[in-house]
C-alpha cells in the first residue's frame, strides 16, 4: 500500500523555488530518508506534507487524504518531530506526553496507558517527573519523538532528528528509530550520510529543490557508479538532469 | 476541551517560572509598600492608599503582557508552536489557550495587591469590589498587548518591549506616581489619549464611590481592549502562517 504519493509538488517563495515538481511515492512501513544539503528543500517538503504550508502547485496524498482538500484528515494520520527540540520546557516529561495525547482527543484512561507505554519504550520512566528543560539534548530529542508517536500516527516525520547531538546520543536515537522500522512509515530528513545509510530502506537525494534520485544505498551507488553513499550523493546531487 | 488542555499547559509554563511570580505579584506589592512608607512620613494625597492602589494594580498588569508575550515568543522560537500546528488544534484553540489562563492570573494579581492594600488601611467595602471589576477590561487589554508582542517579536525583544517599554509607559502615563494635572500641557493630553490613565481614573472613581465618573474613563479602556485584541488575533494568525 502507498502511504505517500506526491504529484508535481511545488513550493515557490517569491522568486525562489524551494521545491520543484516533486514526484515521490513511499510505501507503507518504509523508512524513507530525504538527503540533501542545507536549502535543498527537505524541510519545505516536510512542511508541505504535514500541512504547515500550502504548495504553490501540485498535491500530495497521505493515506489517501489530500494535503490541499483534506488537511484535517492528513493531520489525524501523521505526527512530527520538528528540527528543533519542540518540547514544553516547564512541563515534566509525563506532562508533555499527556499534553499531546489530550490534544489528539485521548481520554484520561487511554492517555495514562499511552504515556506509560511511551515512557517505557523510550526509557523515560526514570525522568518522568523531570522538567523537559532539565533533560540533556539527547533525552529531549527522545521525548520529542515519543510525543510524536504517542498518537499512534500512520506516518512519522523526523526532521533532522540527530542534528547537534553527540555521537553517543545519536547512536542511542538510531536504536530507537530502528525499533520503529516496519511498524509505521517514517520520513527522515538528514544531511548525515551515515545516518541515512544506517537507518533507511530507501533514500531520496534532493538538491536545489529537485529530487535528483531515489533508491536504496546500493542502487544509488550503482546509478552514480560510485563506491560510497557520500560519493553517490555528491555525484547525483550535482548532476544536472533529474534521474529517478 | 482541546483549548482547555492547551490553556492548562500555558498556565503551568507561566506559573513555574519563579521570576514571573516575583515580578507579577511581588514587585507591585513592594512598590505599594514603599510608596505607603513615603506617605507615612511625608503625607501626599496621591499616595493615600485609596488613590495609590488603582495605579499599582494597573502597573502590575503590565507584567501580565510580559508573561503572555514571552510564552508565545518562546513557543515560536523553540518550534513548539510549529509542532502544535501539525495537530488538530484550531486557530481559536490557540487564541483561547493563550489568553484564557492570563485572565484569572491578572485578577489574582489585582486581588493580591488589594489584599496588601487592606493591611495598609484600605477600607473593605463594595466600592473596592467594583474597583477590581472595573480593572478587568484593562487586564484584557494588557493580555492583548502580550499576544501582539509575542506574535511579532522574539523572546528577547518581547522582554524589552513589554518588560521595559510597556511597564514604563504604564508607570509614566497612568498618573499612578504623580498627578498628571501637575505636568499638564501636551504630556497630560497624550496620557489621556492612551488607556492607562483612564484605567487608573476609572478604578479610582469606583473606590471613591463616584460611580458616575467610571464609564467615561472605562469606555476608553474597553475601546482599546477591543481594538488591541482584534489586532493581536489578526497579527497572531497572519504571523503564525508566515512563520510556518
Amino acid at each position: 500500500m502507498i502511504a505517500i504519493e506526491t504529484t508535481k509538488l511545488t513550493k515557490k517563495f517569491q522568486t525562489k523555488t524551494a521545491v520543484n515538481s516533486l514526484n515521490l511515492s513511499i510505501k507503507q512501513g518504509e523508512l524513507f530518508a530525504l538527503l540533501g544539503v542545507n536549502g535543498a528543500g527537505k524541510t519545505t517538503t516536510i512542511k508541505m506534507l504535514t500541512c504547515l504550508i500550502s504548495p504553490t502547485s501540485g498535491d500530495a496524498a497521505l493515506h489517501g487524504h489530500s494535503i490541499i482538500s483534506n488537511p484535517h484528515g492528513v493531520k489525524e494520520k501523521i505526527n512530527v518531530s520538528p528540527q528543533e527540540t519542540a518540547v514544553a520546557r516547564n512541563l515534566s516529561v509525563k506532562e508533555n506526553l499527556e499534553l499531546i495525547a489530550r490534544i489528539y482527543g485521548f481520554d484520561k484512561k487511554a492517555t495514562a496507558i499511552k504515556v506509560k507505554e511511551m515512557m517505557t519504550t523510550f526509557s523515560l520512566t526514570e525522568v518522568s517527573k523531570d522538567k523537559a528543560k532539565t533533560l540533556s539534548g539527547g533525552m529531549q530529542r527522545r521525548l520529542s519523538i515519543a510525543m510524536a508517536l504517542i498518537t499512534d500516527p500512520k506516518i512519522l516525520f523526523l526532521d533532522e532528528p540527530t542534528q547537534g547531538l553527540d555521537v553517543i546520543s545519536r547512536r542511542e536515537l538510531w536504536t530507537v528509530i530502528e525499533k520503529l522500522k516496519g511498524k509505521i512509515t517514517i520520513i527522515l530528513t538528514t544531511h548525515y550520510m551515515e545516518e541515512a545509510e544506517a537507518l533507511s530502506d530507501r533514500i531520496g537525494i534532493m538538491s536545489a529543490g529537485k529530487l535528483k534520485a531515489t533508491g536504496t544505498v546500493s542502487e544509488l551507488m550503482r546509478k552514480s557508479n560510485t563506491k560510497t553513499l557520500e560519493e553517490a550523493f555528491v555525484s547525483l546531487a550535482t548532476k544536472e538532469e533529474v534521474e529517478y | 476541551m482541546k483549548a482547555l488542555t492547551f490553556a492548562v499547559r500555558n498556565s503551568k509554563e507561566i506559573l513555574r517560572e519563579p521570576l514571573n511570580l516575583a515580578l507579577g505579584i511581588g514587585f507591585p506589592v513592594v512598590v505599594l509598600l514603599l510608596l505607603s512608607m513615603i506617605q507615612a512620613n511625608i503625607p501626599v494625597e496621591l499616595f493615600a492608599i485609596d488613590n495609590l492602589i488603582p495605579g499599582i494594580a494597573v502597573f502590575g498588569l503590565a507584567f501580565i503582557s510580559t508573561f503572555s508575550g514571552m510564552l508565545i515568543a518562546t513557543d515560536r522560537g523553540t518550534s513548539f508552536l510549529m509542532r502544535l500546528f501539525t495537530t488538530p488544534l484550531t486557530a481559536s484553540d490557540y487564541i483561547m489557550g493563550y489568553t484564557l489562563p492570563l485572565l484569572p492570573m491578572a485578577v489574582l494579581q489585582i486581588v493580591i495587591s488589594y489584599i496588601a492594600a487592606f493591611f495598609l488601611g484600605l477600607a473593605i467595602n463594595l466600592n473596592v469590589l467594583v474597583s477590581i471589576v472595573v480593572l478587568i477590561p484593562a487586564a484584557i487589554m494588557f493580555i492583548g498587548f502580550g499576544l501582539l508582542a509575542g506574535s511579532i517579536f522574539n523572546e528577547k525583544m518581547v522582554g524589552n518591549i513589554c518588560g521595559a517599554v510597556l511597564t514604563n509607559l504604564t508607570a509614566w502615563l497612568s498618573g499612578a506616581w504623580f498627578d498628571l494635572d501637575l505636568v499638564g500641557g501636551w504630556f497630560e493630553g497624550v496620557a489621556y489619549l492612551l488607556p492607562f490613565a483612564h484605567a487608573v481614573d476609572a478604578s479610582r472613581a469606583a473606590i471613591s464611590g463616584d460611580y458616575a465618573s467610571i464609564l467615561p474613563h472605562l469606555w476608553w479602556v474597553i475601546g482599546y481592549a477591543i481594538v488591541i485584541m482584534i489586532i493581536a488575533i489578526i497579527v497572531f494568525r497572519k504571523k503564525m502562517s508566515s512563520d510556518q
Side-chain angles (χ1 to χ4, degrees), chain A residues 120-132:
Chain A
T120 306
T121 307
F122 288 90
S123 307
L124 292 165
T125 310
E126 277 187 22
V127 292
S128 69
K129 290 180 181 168
D130 292 6
K131 283 183 185 171

PDB file of all heavy atoms in Angstrom, chain A residues 120-132:
ATOM      1  N   THR A 120       8.092   3.778  28.758  1.00  0.00           N
ATOM      2  CA  THR A 120       8.821   2.506  28.795  1.00  0.00           C
ATOM      3  C   THR A 120       9.615   2.327  27.505  1.00  0.00           C
ATOM      4  O   THR A 120      10.813   2.029  27.539  1.00  0.00           O
ATOM      5  CB  THR A 120       7.815   1.331  28.966  1.00  0.00           C
ATOM      6  OG1 THR A 120       7.014   1.605  30.104  1.00  0.00           O
ATOM      7  CG2 THR A 120       8.541   0.009  29.156  1.00  0.00           C
ATOM      8  N   THR A 121       8.954   2.521  26.368  1.00  0.00           N
ATOM      9  CA  THR A 121       9.611   2.329  25.066  1.00  0.00           C
ATOM     10  C   THR A 121      10.836   3.220  24.908  1.00  0.00           C
ATOM     11  O   THR A 121      11.857   2.781  24.380  1.00  0.00           O
ATOM     12  CB  THR A 121       8.608   2.648  23.920  1.00  0.00           C
ATOM     13  OG1 THR A 121       7.429   1.883  24.134  1.00  0.00           O
ATOM     14  CG2 THR A 121       9.196   2.331  22.554  1.00  0.00           C
ATOM     15  N   PHE A 122      10.728   4.456  25.378  1.00  0.00           N
ATOM     16  CA  PHE A 122      11.819   5.420  25.161  1.00  0.00           C
ATOM     17  C   PHE A 122      12.701   5.613  26.405  1.00  0.00           C
ATOM     18  O   PHE A 122      13.463   6.577  26.479  1.00  0.00           O
ATOM     19  CB  PHE A 122      11.241   6.763  24.703  1.00  0.00           C
ATOM     20  CG  PHE A 122      10.716   6.716  23.292  1.00  0.00           C
ATOM     21  CD1 PHE A 122       9.399   6.380  23.040  1.00  0.00           C
ATOM     22  CD2 PHE A 122      11.550   6.974  22.223  1.00  0.00           C
ATOM     23  CE1 PHE A 122       8.915   6.317  21.740  1.00  0.00           C
ATOM     24  CE2 PHE A 122      11.074   6.913  20.924  1.00  0.00           C
ATOM     25  CZ  PHE A 122       9.760   6.577  20.681  1.00  0.00           C
ATOM     26  N   SER A 123      12.583   4.684  27.348  1.00  0.00           N
ATOM     27  CA  SER A 123      13.396   4.729  28.583  1.00  0.00           C
ATOM     28  C   SER A 123      13.335   6.108  29.247  1.00  0.00           C
ATOM     29  O   SER A 123      14.356   6.702  29.601  1.00  0.00           O
ATOM     30  CB  SER A 123      14.858   4.375  28.270  1.00  0.00           C
ATOM     31  OG  SER A 123      14.930   3.168  27.586  1.00  0.00           O
ATOM     32  N   LEU A 124      12.117   6.589  29.403  1.00  0.00           N
ATOM     33  CA  LEU A 124      11.932   7.907  30.012  1.00  0.00           C
ATOM     34  C   LEU A 124      11.307   7.823  31.412  1.00  0.00           C
ATOM     35  O   LEU A 124      11.076   8.846  32.050  1.00  0.00           O
ATOM     36  CB  LEU A 124      11.029   8.773  29.123  1.00  0.00           C
ATOM     37  CG  LEU A 124      11.615   9.209  27.776  1.00  0.00           C
ATOM     38  CD1 LEU A 124      10.526   9.734  26.855  1.00  0.00           C
ATOM     39  CD2 LEU A 124      12.686  10.270  27.956  1.00  0.00           C
ATOM     40  N   THR A 125      11.046   6.594  31.861  1.00  0.00           N
ATOM     41  CA  THR A 125      10.324   6.424  33.131  1.00  0.00           C
ATOM     42  C   THR A 125      11.070   7.079  34.298  1.00  0.00           C
ATOM     43  O   THR A 125      10.461   7.738  35.132  1.00  0.00           O
ATOM     44  CB  THR A 125      10.096   4.925  33.423  1.00  0.00           C
ATOM     45  OG1 THR A 125       9.525   4.346  32.243  1.00  0.00           O
ATOM     46  CG2 THR A 125       9.157   4.706  34.583  1.00  0.00           C
ATOM     47  N   GLU A 126      12.390   6.906  34.323  1.00  0.00           N
ATOM     48  CA  GLU A 126      13.172   7.449  35.448  1.00  0.00           C
ATOM     49  C   GLU A 126      13.128   8.973  35.518  1.00  0.00           C
ATOM     50  O   GLU A 126      13.312   9.553  36.570  1.00  0.00           O
ATOM     51  CB  GLU A 126      14.624   6.987  35.346  1.00  0.00           C
ATOM     52  CG  GLU A 126      14.836   5.609  35.929  1.00  0.00           C
ATOM     53  CD  GLU A 126      16.291   5.213  35.979  1.00  0.00           C
ATOM     54  OE1 GLU A 126      17.152   6.110  35.965  1.00  0.00           O
ATOM     55  OE2 GLU A 126      16.544   4.004  36.008  1.00  0.00           O
ATOM     56  N   VAL A 127      12.922   9.602  34.360  1.00  0.00           N
ATOM     57  CA  VAL A 127      12.915  11.073  34.344  1.00  0.00           C
ATOM     58  C   VAL A 127      11.500  11.622  34.145  1.00  0.00           C
ATOM     59  O   VAL A 127      11.329  12.781  33.778  1.00  0.00           O
ATOM     60  CB  VAL A 127      13.855  11.630  33.242  1.00  0.00           C
ATOM     61  CG1 VAL A 127      15.303  11.356  33.561  1.00  0.00           C
ATOM     62  CG2 VAL A 127      13.477  11.094  31.865  1.00  0.00           C
ATOM     63  N   SER A 128      10.500  10.782  34.415  1.00  0.00           N
ATOM     64  CA  SER A 128       9.113  11.166  34.101  1.00  0.00           C
ATOM     65  C   SER A 128       8.688  12.465  34.784  1.00  0.00           C
ATOM     66  O   SER A 128       7.877  13.214  34.254  1.00  0.00           O
ATOM     67  CB  SER A 128       8.148  10.042  34.466  1.00  0.00           C
ATOM     68  OG  SER A 128       8.097   9.909  35.865  1.00  0.00           O
ATOM     69  N   LYS A 129       9.239  12.730  35.976  1.00  0.00           N
ATOM     70  CA  LYS A 129       8.823  13.938  36.712  1.00  0.00           C
ATOM     71  C   LYS A 129       9.764  15.115  36.471  1.00  0.00           C
ATOM     72  O   LYS A 129       9.523  16.217  36.975  1.00  0.00           O
ATOM     73  CB  LYS A 129       8.736  13.627  38.208  1.00  0.00           C
ATOM     74  CG  LYS A 129       7.559  12.715  38.546  1.00  0.00           C
ATOM     75  CD  LYS A 129       7.490  12.412  40.011  1.00  0.00           C
ATOM     76  CE  LYS A 129       6.314  11.479  40.291  1.00  0.00           C
ATOM     77  NZ  LYS A 129       6.357  10.922  41.643  1.00  0.00           N
ATOM     78  N   ASP A 130      10.826  14.894  35.731  1.00  0.00           N
ATOM     79  CA  ASP A 130      11.783  15.983  35.469  1.00  0.00           C
ATOM     80  C   ASP A 130      11.218  16.944  34.430  1.00  0.00           C
ATOM     81  O   ASP A 130      10.562  16.530  33.469  1.00  0.00           O
ATOM     82  CB  ASP A 130      13.111  15.418  34.928  1.00  0.00           C
ATOM     83  CG  ASP A 130      13.847  14.611  35.977  1.00  0.00           C
ATOM     84  OD1 ASP A 130      13.290  14.404  37.067  1.00  0.00           O
ATOM     85  OD2 ASP A 130      14.978  14.177  35.695  1.00  0.00           O
ATOM     86  N   LYS A 131      11.494  18.232  34.641  1.00  0.00           N
ATOM     87  CA  LYS A 131      11.056  19.202  33.643  1.00  0.00           C
ATOM     88  C   LYS A 131      11.851  19.006  32.360  1.00  0.00           C
ATOM     89  O   LYS A 131      13.060  18.715  32.411  1.00  0.00           O
ATOM     90  CB  LYS A 131      11.270  20.629  34.159  1.00  0.00           C
ATOM     91  CG  LYS A 131      10.234  21.053  35.168  1.00  0.00           C
ATOM     92  CD  LYS A 131      10.456  22.495  35.569  1.00  0.00           C
ATOM     93  CE  LYS A 131       9.499  22.900  36.665  1.00  0.00           C
ATOM     94  NZ  LYS A 131       9.821  24.218  37.214  1.00  0.00           N
ATOM     95  N   ALA A 132      11.206  19.195  31.231  1.00  0.00           N
ATOM     96  CA  ALA A 132      11.854  18.946  29.931  1.00  0.00           C
ATOM     97  C   ALA A 132      13.117  19.780  29.760  1.00  0.00           C
ATOM     98  O   ALA A 132      14.098  19.322  29.171  1.00  0.00           O
ATOM     99  CB  ALA A 132      10.873  19.236  28.804  1.00  0.00           C
TER     100      ALA A 132
END
